[in-house]
């Protein structure tokens, strides 16, 4: 429950501690797990109250603080994804307006850091291409950005052996520079870059499959 709340401080009552076999105060396992979760939110942690234990292992508040410091030091290191996401945690984000504004390179970088999304796109395109064996399939990538969806389509084509012709449609002139540089390489010889909005491609119904960050694959 508390993972979804704006927790600023955590008060740990001294009576929550128990003595281990060496006579030092420690938290029960469930309490440990909760405190470790709170560490991620960078909230203040304080020990309150007074322990009821009269054991000589109970030597005052300093031991509680040392133990919490020990728990903090045992945290696993952050993954690359967690380090990248850290500046965006618990901050309201302005909604993107890709039709009204040209997205910055850093926004594209955030999209491209996704470790799963483009693999799933590739798998989805590959499943579609498997149904079109023996044909040359035309695919329109709408809002191609710096090309990750195009790369997913090319990888799907290589994996299935189905030839594709790809139209990379993008309105951001800065991103189009990157796309045209990629399209000049032999690996992208079957990719044609169009400086257009996606409205140009979706006028009417039918036509080739359309792939976007928002709509997935539309047969």
């Amino acid at each position: 429950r508390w993972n979804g709340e704006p927790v600023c401080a955590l008060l740990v009552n001294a009576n929550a501690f128990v003595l281990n076999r060496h006579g030092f105060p420690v938290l029960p396992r469930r309490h440990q797990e909760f405190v470790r979760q709170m560490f991620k939110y960078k909230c203040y942690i304080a020990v309150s109250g007074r322990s009821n234990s009269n054991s000589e292992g109970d030597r005052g508040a300093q031991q509680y603080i040392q133990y919490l410091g020990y728990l903090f030091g045992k945290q696993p290191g952050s993954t690359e994804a967690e380090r990248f996401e850290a500046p965006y945690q618990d901050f309201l984000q302005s909604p993107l307006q890709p039709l009204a504004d040209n997205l910055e390179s850093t926004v594209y970088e955030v999209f491209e850091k996704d470790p799963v999304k483009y693999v799933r796109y590739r798998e989805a395109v590959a499943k579609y291409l498997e149904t079109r064996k023996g044909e040359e399939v035309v695919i329109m990538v709408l809002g191609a950005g710096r090309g990750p969806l195009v790369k997913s389509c090319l990888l799907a084509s290589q994996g299935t052996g189905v030839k594709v012709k790809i139209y990379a449609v993008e309105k951001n002139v800065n991103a189009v520079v990157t796309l045209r540089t990629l399209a000049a390489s032999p690996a992208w010889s079957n990719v044609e870059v169009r400086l257009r909005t996606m409205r140009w491609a979706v006028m009417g119904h039918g036509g080739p499959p359309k792939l976007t960050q928002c709509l997935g694959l539309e047969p």
Side-chain angles (χ1 to χ4, degrees), residues 73-151:
K74 285 188 65 178
Q75 293 182 100
S78 300
T79 65
E80 183 180 354
E82 288 173 338
R83 289 193 297 271
F84 190 82
E85 294 166 0
Y88 305 97
Q89 293 289 348
D90 296 326
F91 286 97
L92 291 174
Q93 304 294 320
S94 299
L96 297 177
Q97 301 288 342
L99 282 175
D101 307 316
N102 286 333
L103 301 182
E104 297 179 359
S105 181
T106 53
V107 176
Y108 289 123
E109 186 178 358
V110 172
F111 291 161
E112 293 162 10
K113 285 282 187 179
D114 192 309
V116 176
K117 178 171 62 176
Y118 296 107
V119 174
R120 296 291 179 261
Y121 272 111
R122 186 190 72 205
E123 292 171 349
V125 174
K127 286 184 177 181
Y128 175 78
L129 294 180
E130 288 286 357
T131 68
R132 304 288 295 274
K133 289 282 191 178
E135 304 178 38
E136 182 178 26
V137 179
V138 177
I139 298 176
M140 302 186 78
V141 178
L142 309 182
R146 302 193 304 186
L149 287 180
V150 177
K151 294 174 184 176

Side-chain angles (χ1 to χ4, degrees), residues 28-216:
R29 187 171 299 278
R30 290 184 65 184
H31 289 72
Q32 290 180 34
E33 292 172 357
F34 179 71
V35 170
R36 286 195 180 102
Q37 289 177 9
M38 291 298 102
F39 283 149
K40 296 179 181 179
Y41 297 97
K42 299 181 180 179
C43 62
Y44 294 100
I45 299 181
V47 178
S48 65
R50 193 179 186 89
S51 174
N52 293 328
S53 171
N54 294 318
S55 167
E56 61 183 13
D58 183 13
R59 299 170 187 168
Q62 188 63 32
Q63 286 193 329
Y64 302 132
I65 296 171
Q66 289 176 347
Y67 174 73
L68 291 172
Y70 167 76
L71 280 186
F72 184 82
K74 285 188 65 178
Q75 293 182 100
S78 300
T79 65
E80 183 180 354
E82 288 173 338
R83 289 193 297 271
F84 190 82
E85 294 166 0
Y88 305 97
Q89 293 289 348
D90 296 326
F91 286 97
L92 291 174
Q93 304 294 320
S94 299
L96 297 177
Q97 301 288 342
L99 282 175
D101 307 316
N102 286 333
L103 301 182
E104 297 179 359
S105 181
T106 53
V107 176
Y108 289 123
E109 186 178 358
V110 172
F111 291 161
E112 293 162 10
K113 285 282 187 179
D114 192 309
V116 176
K117 178 171 62 176
Y118 296 107
V119 174
R120 296 291 179 261
Y121 272 111
R122 186 190 72 205
E123 292 171 349
V125 174
K127 286 184 177 181
Y128 175 78
L129 294 180
E130 288 286 357
T131 68
R132 304 288 295 274
K133 289 282 191 178
E135 304 178 38
E136 182 178 26
V137 179
V138 177
I139 298 176
M140 302 186 78
V141 178
L142 309 182
R146 302 193 304 186
L149 287 180
V150 177
K151 294 174 184 176
S152 295
C153 293
L154 292 172
L155 289 171
S157 174
Q158 293 172 13
T160 59
V162 178
K163 292 183 179 180
V164 294
K165 171 69 177 179
I166 300 173
Y167 291 92
V169 181
E170 175 57 54
K171 67 167 280 289
N172 186 338
V173 292
N174 300 314
V176 165
V177 172
T178 301
L179 289 172
R180 286 177 173 163
T181 300
L182 292 168
S185 66
W188 282 47
S189 60
N190 55 341
V191 178
E192 188 172 326
V193 179
R194 296 290 181 90
L195 180 57
R196 296 282 192 277
T197 69
M198 65 173 62
R199 292 193 182 104
W200 168 81
V202 298
M203 296 283 288
H205 299 283
K210 301 175 182 67
L211 190 68
T212 79
Q213 299 270 14
C214 300
L215 302 177

